[in-house]
Amino acid sequence: MTTPPQTPSSQMKGLSILRVVATLAIPFILLFGLYVQFHGDYGPGGGFQAGAIFAAGFILYALVFGLGAARRIVPQRTVEAGLALGVLIFAGTGVASMLFGGNFLDYNALDSHDPVHGQHLGILIIEFGVGVTVASVMLAIFYAFAGRKRVEDPMAEPLLDGDGNVENEEPGP
Amino acid sequence: MTFDETQWLTVVLLALLAATAVIIVRRRGLWEAVMLSGIYSFLGASWMMLLDAPDVAFTEAAVGAGISTVLMLGTLALTSREEKPPKRPPWVPLAVVTATGAALIWGTFDMPHIGDPNAPAQVYPDPSYIERSAEDIDVPNVVTAVLSSYRGYDTLGETVVVFTAGLVVLVLLRGRREEYES
């Protein structure tokens, strides 16, 4: 491995403001993502929007604190599992409604006593599946792009490593 | 023809959108072009809010202004920051773009006015979806009711499309994973 480029100290000064602002903003971005996810039946939004907002929060974290730090919080394996897990949750809800005696994706069957409650349950679960898949895909694409730079051209100007030492902090083999 | 406040805001936003597009085309520096395309998406999201489409505005703001900008910056880091000067004068592309734009504007003359109760979107396929959804599903956001329940198959298909896109990007770009994970 080649030595990663050192960030000039002039960039470090600007980054301390970025770090503070990002630290303050990210919890609210994630909270807003959760709100859009689980409030989609009552207000605007739903799984797709929530997934995109949630992924944007983690991407902001990666931009400010470095790709390595983001990978430690949401590892590549988790992202890859999430891709498939969301679709499985969605399709699995359809299979579950068949097991309960309805048609595929007929949420009425999910609650034999109260079909409307079954609908609510079904919508909540499949929207969660959509959110998981969308957030994972966004993060997977970002990881793929950001990780590629390091392989192709390690001496290029650092765009994504916040403190310039991120590559060094990666655990060794 | 008199405009109310919302219509004035629409005119201003559309003018800003057009101005941003023209500036993007005239830029040679790709970094500036990416930043301006983020502004373009943000203006687009604002316009969607004026059209009472907050779901679309959310998506445009998060994906268009946020994630796409980051991905394009990541691409710039891999390639170059300057667009190469064109070798030939751009008459043919200009003619194609002008003709396409004229055809699109001509097409809008056939479109119903905003809020027209007789517009196809209001009467087709079946307005009773809106009346029935309160009793069938009892979810206040009819868009969610239609997307998740009445058209659950479509949404499952869309989710599979998103999943496939992510999978393909992983397969194409992550070929040398061992080099940065070892």
Coordinates of all heavy atoms in Angstrom, one line a residue, chain A residues 34-127:
Chain A
L34 N -36.3 8.8 10.1 CA -37.2 7.8 10.8 C -38.7 8.4 10.8 O -39.6 7.6 10.6 CB -36.8 7.6 12.2 CG -35.5 6.8 12.3 CD1 -35.0 6.8 13.8 CD2 -35.7 5.4 11.9
Y35 N -38.8 9.7 11.0 CA -40.2 10.3 11.0 C -40.8 10.1 9.6 O -42.0 9.6 9.5 CB -40.0 11.8 11.3 CG -41.3 12.6 11.0 CD1 -42.4 12.5 11.9 CD2 -41.4 13.3 9.9 CE1 -43.5 13.2 11.6 CE2 -42.5 14.1 9.6 CZ -43.6 14.0 10.5 OH -44.7 14.7 10.2
V36 N -40.1 10.3 8.5 CA -40.6 10.2 7.2 C -41.0 8.7 6.9 O -42.0 8.4 6.3 CB -39.7 10.7 6.1 CG1 -40.1 10.3 4.7 CG2 -39.5 12.2 6.2
Q37 N -40.1 7.8 7.5 CA -40.4 6.4 7.3 C -41.7 5.9 8.0 O -42.5 5.3 7.4 CB -39.2 5.6 7.9 CG -39.4 4.1 7.9 CD -39.3 3.4 6.6 OE1 -38.3 3.6 5.9 NE2 -40.3 2.7 6.1
F38 N -41.8 6.2 9.2 CA -42.9 5.7 10.0 C -44.1 6.6 10.1 O -45.1 6.2 10.7 CB -42.4 5.3 11.4 CG -41.5 4.2 11.4 CD1 -40.1 4.4 11.7 CD2 -41.9 2.9 11.1 CE1 -39.2 3.4 11.6 CE2 -41.0 1.9 11.0 CZ -39.6 2.1 11.3
H39 N -44.1 7.7 9.5 CA -45.2 8.6 9.4 C -45.7 8.8 8.0 O -46.5 9.6 7.7 CB -44.8 10.0 10.0 CG -45.9 10.8 10.7 ND1 -46.5 11.8 10.1 CD2 -46.5 10.6 11.8 CE1 -47.5 12.3 10.9 NE2 -47.5 11.5 11.9
G40 N -45.2 7.9 7.1 CA -45.5 8.1 5.7 C -47.0 7.9 5.4 O -47.5 8.4 4.4
D41 N -47.7 7.1 6.3 CA -49.2 6.9 6.0 C -49.9 8.2 6.4 O -51.1 8.3 5.9 CB -49.8 5.8 6.8 CG -48.7 4.9 7.5 OD1 -47.6 5.1 7.2 OD2 -49.1 4.0 8.3
Y42 N -49.4 9.1 7.2 CA -50.2 10.2 7.6 C -49.7 11.5 7.0 O -50.5 12.4 6.7 CB -50.1 10.4 9.1 CG -50.8 9.3 9.8 CD1 -50.1 8.1 10.2 CD2 -52.1 9.4 10.1 CE1 -50.8 7.0 10.8 CE2 -52.8 8.3 10.7 CZ -52.1 7.2 11.0 OH -52.8 6.1 11.6
G43 N -48.4 11.6 6.7 CA -47.9 12.8 6.0 C -47.2 12.4 4.8 O -47.3 11.3 4.3
P44 N -46.6 13.4 4.1 CA -45.8 13.1 2.9 C -44.6 12.2 3.2 O -44.1 12.3 4.3 CB -45.4 14.5 2.4 CG -45.4 15.3 3.6 CD -46.5 14.8 4.4
G45 N -44.3 11.4 2.2 CA -43.1 10.6 2.4 C -43.4 9.1 2.4 O -44.5 8.7 1.9
G46 N -42.5 8.3 2.8 CA -42.6 6.8 2.7 C -41.3 6.2 2.7 O -40.3 6.9 3.0
G47 N -41.2 4.9 2.3 CA -40.0 4.2 2.4 C -38.9 4.8 1.5 O -37.8 4.9 1.9
F48 N -39.2 5.1 0.3 CA -38.2 5.6 -0.6 C -37.5 6.9 -0.1 O -36.3 7.0 0.0 CB -38.8 5.8 -2.0 CG -37.7 6.1 -3.1 CD1 -37.2 5.0 -3.8 CD2 -37.2 7.3 -3.3 CE1 -36.2 5.2 -4.7 CE2 -36.2 7.6 -4.2 CZ -35.7 6.5 -4.9
Q49 N -38.4 7.9 0.2 CA -37.8 9.1 0.7 C -37.0 8.9 2.0 O -36.0 9.5 2.1 CB -39.0 10.1 0.9 CG -39.6 10.7 -0.3 CD -40.7 9.7 -0.9 OE1 -40.9 8.6 -0.3 NE2 -41.4 10.2 -1.9
A50 N -37.6 8.1 2.9 CA -36.9 7.9 4.1 C -35.6 7.2 3.9 O -34.6 7.6 4.5 CB -37.8 7.0 5.0
G51 N -35.5 6.3 3.0 CA -34.2 5.6 2.8 C -33.2 6.6 2.2 O -32.0 6.5 2.7
A52 N -33.6 7.4 1.3 CA -32.7 8.4 0.7 C -32.2 9.4 1.8 O -31.0 9.7 1.9 CB -33.4 9.2 -0.4
I53 N -33.1 9.8 2.7 CA -32.7 10.8 3.7 C -31.8 10.1 4.7 O -30.7 10.7 5.1 CB -33.9 11.4 4.4 CG1 -34.8 12.2 3.4 CG2 -33.5 12.2 5.6 CD1 -36.1 12.6 4.0
F54 N -32.1 8.9 5.1 CA -31.3 8.2 6.0 C -29.9 7.9 5.5 O -28.9 8.2 6.2 CB -31.9 6.8 6.3 CG -31.8 6.4 7.7 CD1 -32.4 7.0 8.8 CD2 -31.0 5.3 8.0 CE1 -32.3 6.6 10.1 CE2 -30.8 4.9 9.3 CZ -31.5 5.5 10.3
A55 N -29.8 7.5 4.2 CA -28.5 7.3 3.6 C -27.7 8.6 3.5 O -26.5 8.6 3.7 CB -28.7 6.7 2.2
A56 N -28.4 9.7 3.2 CA -27.7 11.0 3.1 C -27.1 11.4 4.4 O -26.0 11.9 4.4 CB -28.7 12.1 2.6
G57 N -27.7 11.0 5.5 CA -27.1 11.3 6.8 C -25.8 10.6 7.0 O -24.8 11.2 7.4
F58 N -25.8 9.3 6.6 CA -24.5 8.5 6.8 C -23.5 9.0 5.8 O -22.3 9.0 6.1 CB -24.8 7.1 6.6 CG -25.4 6.4 7.8 CD1 -26.7 6.0 7.8 CD2 -24.7 6.3 8.9 CE1 -27.3 5.5 8.9 CE2 -25.3 5.7 10.1 CZ -26.6 5.3 10.0
I59 N -23.9 9.4 4.6 CA -22.9 9.9 3.6 C -22.3 11.2 4.1 O -21.1 11.4 3.9 CB -23.6 10.1 2.2 CG1 -24.0 8.7 1.6 CG2 -22.8 10.9 1.2 CD1 -24.7 8.8 0.3
L60 N -23.1 12.1 4.7 CA -22.6 13.3 5.3 C -21.5 13.0 6.3 O -20.4 13.6 6.4 CB -23.7 14.2 5.9 CG -23.3 15.4 6.6 CD1 -22.6 16.4 5.7 CD2 -24.4 16.1 7.3
Y61 N -21.8 12.0 7.1 CA -20.9 11.5 8.2 C -19.6 11.1 7.5 O -18.5 11.4 7.9 CB -21.5 10.4 9.0 CG -20.6 9.9 10.1 CD1 -20.5 10.6 11.3 CD2 -19.8 8.8 9.9 CE1 -19.7 10.2 12.3 CE2 -18.9 8.4 11.0 CZ -18.9 9.1 12.2 OH -18.1 8.7 13.2
A62 N -19.7 10.3 6.4 CA -18.5 9.8 5.7 C -17.7 11.0 5.1 O -16.5 10.9 5.1 CB -18.9 8.8 4.6
L63 N -18.4 12.0 4.6 CA -17.7 13.1 4.0 C -16.9 13.9 5.0 O -15.8 14.3 4.7 CB -18.7 14.1 3.3 CG -19.4 13.6 2.0 CD1 -20.4 14.6 1.6 CD2 -18.3 13.4 1.0
V64 N -17.5 14.0 6.2 CA -16.8 14.9 7.2 C -15.8 14.1 8.0 O -14.7 14.5 8.3 CB -17.9 15.5 8.1 CG1 -17.2 16.3 9.2 CG2 -18.7 16.4 7.3
F65 N -16.2 12.9 8.4 CA -15.3 12.1 9.3 C -14.5 11.0 8.6 O -13.7 10.3 9.3 CB -16.1 11.5 10.4 CG -16.7 12.5 11.3 CD1 -18.0 12.9 11.1 CD2 -16.0 13.0 12.4 CE1 -18.6 13.9 11.9 CE2 -16.6 14.0 13.2 CZ -17.9 14.4 13.0
G66 N -14.7 10.9 7.3 CA -13.9 9.9 6.6 C -14.6 8.6 6.3 O -15.5 8.2 7.1
L67 N -14.2 8.0 5.2 CA -14.9 6.8 4.7 C -14.7 5.7 5.7 O -15.6 4.9 6.0 CB -14.4 6.4 3.3 CG -15.1 5.3 2.6 CD1 -16.5 5.7 2.4 CD2 -14.4 5.1 1.3
G68 N -13.5 5.6 6.3 CA -13.2 4.5 7.2 C -14.1 4.6 8.4 O -14.5 3.5 8.9
A69 N -14.3 5.8 8.9 CA -15.1 5.9 10.1 C -16.5 5.4 9.8 O -17.2 4.8 10.6 CB -15.1 7.3 10.6
A70 N -17.0 5.8 8.6 CA -18.4 5.4 8.2 C -18.5 3.9 8.1 O -19.5 3.3 8.5 CB -18.8 6.1 6.9
R71 N -17.4 3.3 7.5 CA -17.4 1.9 7.3 C -17.4 1.1 8.6 O -17.9 0.0 8.7 CB -16.2 1.5 6.5 CG -16.4 1.6 5.0 CD -15.1 1.0 4.3 NE -15.1 1.4 2.9 CZ -15.7 0.7 2.0 NH1 -16.4 -0.3 2.3 NH2 -15.5 1.1 0.7
R72 N -16.8 1.8 9.6 CA -16.8 1.1 10.9 C -18.2 1.1 11.6 O -18.6 0.2 12.3 CB -15.8 1.7 11.9 CG -14.4 1.2 11.7 CD -13.6 1.6 12.9 NE -13.3 3.0 12.9 CZ -12.4 3.6 12.1 NH1 -11.7 2.9 11.3 NH2 -12.2 4.9 12.2
I73 N -19.0 2.1 11.3 CA -20.4 2.2 11.8 C -21.3 1.4 11.0 O -22.1 0.6 11.6 CB -20.9 3.7 11.9 CG1 -20.0 4.5 12.9 CG2 -22.3 3.8 12.2 CD1 -20.3 5.9 12.9
V74 N -21.3 1.5 9.7 CA -22.1 0.7 8.8 C -21.2 -0.1 7.9 O -20.8 0.4 6.9 CB -23.1 1.5 8.0 CG1 -24.1 0.6 7.3 CG2 -23.9 2.5 8.8
P75 N -20.8 -1.3 8.3 CA -19.9 -2.1 7.5 C -20.4 -2.5 6.2 O -21.7 -2.5 6.0 CB -19.6 -3.3 8.3 CG -20.1 -3.0 9.7 CD -21.2 -2.0 9.5
Q76 N -19.5 -2.7 5.2 CA -19.9 -3.1 3.9 C -20.9 -4.3 3.9 O -21.8 -4.4 3.2 CB -18.6 -3.5 3.1 CG -18.9 -3.9 1.7 CD -19.0 -2.7 0.7 OE1 -18.5 -1.7 1.0 NE2 -19.7 -3.0 -0.4
R77 N -20.6 -5.3 4.8 CA -21.4 -6.5 4.9 C -22.9 -6.1 5.3 O -23.8 -6.7 4.7 CB -20.9 -7.4 5.9 CG -19.8 -8.4 5.4 CD -19.2 -9.2 6.5 NE -17.9 -9.5 6.2 CZ -17.5 -10.4 5.3 NH1 -18.4 -11.0 4.6 NH2 -16.2 -10.6 5.0
T78 N -23.0 -5.2 6.2 CA -24.4 -4.8 6.6 C -25.1 -4.2 5.5 O -26.3 -4.5 5.2 CB -24.2 -3.8 7.8 OG1 -23.3 -4.2 8.7 CG2 -25.6 -3.5 8.4
V79 N -24.4 -3.3 4.7 CA -25.0 -2.7 3.5 C -25.5 -3.7 2.5 O -26.6 -3.7 2.0 CB -24.0 -1.7 2.9 CG1 -24.5 -1.2 1.6 CG2 -23.8 -0.5 3.8
E80 N -24.6 -4.7 2.3 CA -24.9 -5.7 1.3 C -26.1 -6.6 1.8 O -26.9 -7.0 1.0 CB -23.7 -6.6 1.0 CG -22.7 -5.9 0.1 CD -21.4 -6.6 0.0 OE1 -21.3 -7.8 0.3 OE2 -20.4 -5.9 -0.3
A81 N -26.1 -6.9 3.1 CA -27.2 -7.7 3.6 C -28.5 -6.9 3.5 O -29.6 -7.4 3.1 CB -27.0 -8.1 5.0
G82 N -28.4 -5.6 3.7 CA -29.6 -4.7 3.7 C -30.2 -4.6 2.3 O -31.5 -4.6 2.2
L83 N -29.4 -4.6 1.3 CA -29.9 -4.6 -0.1 C -31.0 -5.7 -0.3 O -32.1 -5.4 -0.7 CB -28.8 -5.0 -1.1 CG -27.7 -4.1 -1.4 CD1 -26.8 -4.7 -2.5 CD2 -28.2 -2.8 -2.0
A84 N -30.6 -6.9 0.1 CA -31.5 -8.1 -0.1 C -32.6 -8.1 1.0 O -33.7 -8.5 0.7 CB -30.7 -9.3 -0.1
L85 N -32.2 -7.7 2.2 CA -33.2 -7.9 3.3 C -34.4 -7.1 3.0 O -35.5 -7.6 3.3 CB -32.5 -7.4 4.6 CG -33.3 -7.6 5.8 CD1 -33.4 -9.1 6.2 CD2 -32.7 -6.9 7.0
G86 N -34.3 -5.9 2.5 CA -35.5 -5.0 2.2 C -36.4 -5.7 1.3 O -37.6 -5.8 1.5
V87 N -35.9 -6.2 0.2 CA -36.7 -6.9 -0.8 C -37.4 -8.2 -0.2 O -38.5 -8.5 -0.4 CB -35.9 -7.3 -2.1 CG1 -36.8 -8.0 -3.1 CG2 -35.3 -6.1 -2.7
L88 N -36.6 -8.9 0.7 CA -37.1 -10.1 1.3 C -38.3 -9.7 2.3 O -39.3 -10.4 2.3 CB -36.0 -10.7 2.1 CG -35.2 -11.8 1.4 CD1 -34.1 -12.3 2.3 CD2 -36.1 -12.9 0.9
I89 N -38.1 -8.6 3.0 CA -39.2 -8.1 3.9 C -40.5 -7.9 3.1 O -41.6 -8.3 3.4 CB -38.8 -6.9 4.7 CG1 -37.7 -7.2 5.7 CG2 -40.0 -6.3 5.4 CD1 -37.1 -6.0 6.4
F90 N -40.3 -7.2 2.0 CA -41.4 -6.8 1.1 C -42.1 -8.1 0.6 O -43.3 -8.3 0.8 CB -41.0 -5.9 0.0 CG -42.0 -5.1 -0.7 CD1 -41.8 -3.8 -1.1 CD2 -43.3 -5.6 -0.9 CE1 -42.8 -3.1 -1.7 CE2 -44.3 -4.9 -1.5 CZ -44.0 -3.6 -1.9
A91 N -41.3 -8.9 -0.1 CA -41.9 -10.1 -0.7 C -42.4 -11.1 0.4 O -43.4 -11.8 0.2 CB -40.9 -10.8 -1.6
G92 N -41.7 -11.1 1.5 CA -42.0 -12.0 2.6 C -43.4 -11.6 3.1 O -44.2 -12.5 3.5
T93 N -43.7 -10.3 3.2 CA -45.1 -9.9 3.6 C -46.1 -10.5 2.7 O -47.2 -10.9 3.1 CB -45.1 -8.4 3.6 OG1 -44.0 -7.8 4.3 CG2 -46.4 -7.9 4.3
G94 N -45.8 -10.5 1.4 CA -46.7 -11.1 0.4 C -46.9 -12.6 0.7 O -48.1 -13.0 0.7
V95 N -45.8 -13.3 0.9 CA -45.9 -14.7 1.2 C -46.7 -14.9 2.5 O -47.5 -15.8 2.6 CB -44.5 -15.3 1.3 CG1 -44.6 -16.8 1.7 CG2 -43.8 -15.2 -0.1
A96 N -46.4 -14.1 3.5 CA -47.1 -14.2 4.8 C -48.6 -14.1 4.6 O -49.4 -14.8 5.2 CB -46.6 -13.2 5.8
S97 N -49.0 -13.1 3.8 CA -50.5 -12.9 3.6 C -51.1 -14.1 2.9 O -52.2 -14.4 3.1 CB -50.8 -11.6 2.8 OG -50.2 -11.7 1.5
M98 N -50.3 -14.8 2.0 CA -50.8 -16.1 1.4 C -50.9 -17.1 2.5 O -51.9 -17.9 2.5 CB -49.8 -16.5 0.3 CG -49.9 -15.7 -0.9 SD -48.5 -16.1 -2.1 CE -49.2 -17.6 -2.9
L99 N -49.9 -17.2 3.4 CA -50.0 -18.2 4.4 C -51.2 -18.0 5.3 O -51.8 -19.0 5.9 CB -48.7 -18.2 5.3 CG -47.4 -18.7 4.6 CD1 -46.3 -18.5 5.6 CD2 -47.6 -20.1 4.1
F100 N -51.6 -16.8 5.5 CA -52.8 -16.5 6.3 C -54.1 -16.7 5.5 O -55.2 -16.3 6.0 CB -52.7 -15.1 6.9 CG -51.8 -14.9 8.1 CD1 -50.6 -14.2 7.9 CD2 -52.1 -15.5 9.3 CE1 -49.8 -14.1 9.0 CE2 -51.2 -15.4 10.3 CZ -50.1 -14.7 10.2
G101 N -54.0 -17.1 4.3 CA -55.2 -17.5 3.5 C -55.6 -16.4 2.5 O -56.7 -16.6 2.0
G102 N -54.8 -15.3 2.3 CA -55.2 -14.3 1.4 C -54.5 -14.5 0.1 O -53.8 -15.5 -0.1
N103 N -54.5 -13.5 -0.8 CA -53.7 -13.5 -2.0 C -52.4 -12.9 -1.7 O -52.2 -12.3 -0.6 CB -54.4 -12.7 -3.1 CG -55.6 -13.4 -3.6 OD1 -55.6 -14.6 -3.8 ND2 -56.7 -12.6 -3.9
F104 N -51.4 -12.9 -2.7 CA -50.1 -12.3 -2.5 C -50.3 -10.8 -2.3 O -51.0 -10.2 -3.1 CB -49.3 -12.6 -3.7 CG -47.8 -12.2 -3.6 CD1 -47.0 -12.8 -2.7 CD2 -47.3 -11.2 -4.4 CE1 -45.7 -12.5 -2.6 CE2 -46.0 -10.8 -4.3 CZ -45.2 -11.5 -3.4
L105 N -49.7 -10.3 -1.2 CA -49.7 -8.9 -0.9 C -51.1 -8.4 -0.5 O -51.4 -7.2 -0.6 CB -49.1 -8.0 -2.0 CG -47.6 -8.1 -2.2 CD1 -47.2 -7.2 -3.3 CD2 -46.9 -7.6 -0.9
D106 N -52.0 -9.3 -0.2 CA -53.3 -8.9 0.3 C -53.3 -8.7 1.8 O -53.4 -9.7 2.6 CB -54.4 -10.0 -0.1 CG -55.8 -9.6 0.4 OD1 -55.9 -8.5 0.9 OD2 -56.6 -10.5 0.4
Y107 N -53.1 -7.5 2.3 CA -52.8 -7.3 3.7 C -54.0 -7.6 4.6 O -53.9 -7.7 5.8 CB -52.3 -5.9 4.0 CG -51.2 -5.4 3.0 CD1 -51.3 -4.2 2.4 CD2 -50.1 -6.2 2.8 CE1 -50.3 -3.8 1.5 CE2 -49.1 -5.8 1.9 CZ -49.2 -4.6 1.3 OH -48.3 -4.1 0.4
N108 N -55.2 -7.6 4.0 CA -56.4 -7.8 4.8 C -56.3 -9.1 5.6 O -56.8 -9.2 6.7 CB -57.6 -8.0 3.8 CG -58.1 -6.6 3.4 OD1 -57.7 -5.6 3.9 ND2 -59.0 -6.6 2.4
A109 N -55.5 -10.1 5.0 CA -55.4 -11.4 5.6 C -54.5 -11.4 6.8 O -54.6 -12.3 7.6 CB -54.9 -12.4 4.6
L110 N -53.7 -10.3 7.0 CA -52.7 -10.3 8.0 C -53.4 -10.3 9.4 O -52.9 -10.7 10.4 CB -51.8 -9.2 7.9 CG -50.8 -9.3 6.7 CD1 -50.0 -8.0 6.6 CD2 -49.9 -10.5 6.8
D111 N -54.6 -9.7 9.5 CA -55.4 -9.7 10.7 C -56.8 -10.2 10.4 O -57.6 -9.5 9.8 CB -55.4 -8.2 11.3 CG -56.0 -8.2 12.7 OD1 -56.8 -9.1 13.0 OD2 -55.6 -7.3 13.4
S112 N -57.1 -11.4 10.9 CA -58.3 -12.0 10.5 C -59.5 -11.3 11.1 O -60.6 -11.4 10.6 CB -58.3 -13.5 11.0 OG -58.0 -13.6 12.3
H113 N -59.3 -10.6 12.2 CA -60.5 -9.9 12.9 C -60.7 -8.5 12.3 O -61.9 -8.1 12.2 CB -60.2 -9.8 14.4 CG -59.9 -11.1 15.0 ND1 -60.9 -12.1 15.1 CD2 -58.8 -11.6 15.6 CE1 -60.3 -13.2 15.7 NE2 -59.0 -12.9 16.0
D114 N -59.7 -7.8 11.9 CA -59.8 -6.4 11.5 C -59.0 -6.2 10.2 O -57.8 -5.9 10.3 CB -59.4 -5.5 12.6 CG -59.6 -4.1 12.3 OD1 -60.1 -3.8 11.2 OD2 -59.3 -3.2 13.2
P115 N -59.6 -6.3 9.0 CA -58.9 -6.1 7.8 C -58.2 -4.8 7.7 O -57.1 -4.7 7.1 CB -59.9 -6.3 6.7 CG -61.2 -6.6 7.4 CD -61.0 -6.6 8.8
V116 N -58.8 -3.7 8.2 CA -58.2 -2.4 8.1 C -56.9 -2.4 8.9 O -55.8 -1.8 8.5 CB -59.1 -1.3 8.6 CG1 -58.4 0.0 8.7 CG2 -60.3 -1.2 7.6
H117 N -56.9 -3.0 10.1 CA -55.7 -3.1 10.9 C -54.6 -3.9 10.1 O -53.4 -3.6 10.1 CB -55.9 -3.8 12.2 CG -54.7 -3.9 13.1 ND1 -54.2 -5.1 13.5 CD2 -53.9 -2.9 13.6 CE1 -53.1 -4.8 14.2 NE2 -52.9 -3.5 14.3
G118 N -55.1 -5.0 9.4 CA -54.1 -5.8 8.6 C -53.5 -4.9 7.5 O -52.3 -5.0 7.3
Q119 N -54.3 -4.0 6.9 CA -53.7 -3.1 5.9 C -52.7 -2.2 6.5 O -51.6 -2.0 5.9 CB -54.9 -2.2 5.3 CG -55.8 -3.0 4.4 CD -55.2 -3.2 3.0 OE1 -54.2 -2.6 2.7 NE2 -55.8 -4.1 2.3
H120 N -53.0 -1.6 7.7 CA -52.0 -0.8 8.3 C -50.7 -1.5 8.6 O -49.6 -1.0 8.3 CB -52.6 -0.2 9.7 CG -53.6 0.8 9.5 ND1 -54.2 1.5 10.6 CD2 -54.3 1.2 8.4 CE1 -55.1 2.3 10.1 NE2 -55.2 2.2 8.8
L121 N -50.8 -2.7 9.1 CA -49.7 -3.5 9.4 C -48.8 -3.8 8.2 O -47.6 -3.6 8.1 CB -50.1 -4.8 10.1 CG -49.2 -5.6 10.9 CD1 -48.8 -4.8 12.1 CD2 -49.8 -6.9 11.4
G122 N -49.6 -4.2 7.1 CA -48.9 -4.6 5.9 C -48.1 -3.4 5.3 O -47.0 -3.5 4.9
I123 N -48.8 -2.2 5.3 CA -48.2 -1.0 4.7 C -46.9 -0.6 5.5 O -45.9 -0.3 5.0 CB -49.2 0.1 4.7 CG1 -50.2 -0.1 3.6 CG2 -48.5 1.5 4.4 CD1 -51.3 0.9 3.5
L124 N -47.1 -0.7 6.9 CA -45.9 -0.3 7.7 C -44.7 -1.3 7.4 O -43.6 -0.8 7.3 CB -46.3 -0.5 9.2 CG -45.5 0.3 10.2 CD1 -45.7 1.8 10.0 CD2 -45.9 -0.1 11.6
I125 N -45.0 -2.6 7.3 CA -43.9 -3.5 7.1 C -43.3 -3.3 5.7 O -42.0 -3.3 5.6 CB -44.4 -5.0 7.3 CG1 -44.9 -5.1 8.7 CG2 -43.3 -5.9 7.0 CD1 -45.6 -6.5 9.0
I126 N -44.1 -3.2 4.6 CA -43.5 -3.2 3.3 C -42.8 -1.8 3.1 O -41.7 -1.8 2.5 CB -44.5 -3.5 2.2 CG1 -45.5 -2.4 2.1 CG2 -45.1 -4.8 2.3 CD1 -45.6 -1.7 0.8
E127 N -43.3 -0.8 3.7 CA -42.6 0.5 3.6 C -41.2 0.4 4.3 O -40.2 1.0 3.8 CB -43.4 1.7 4.2 CG -44.6 2.1 3.4 CD -44.3 2.9 2.2 OE1 -43.2 3.3 2.0 OE2 -45.3 3.2 1.5

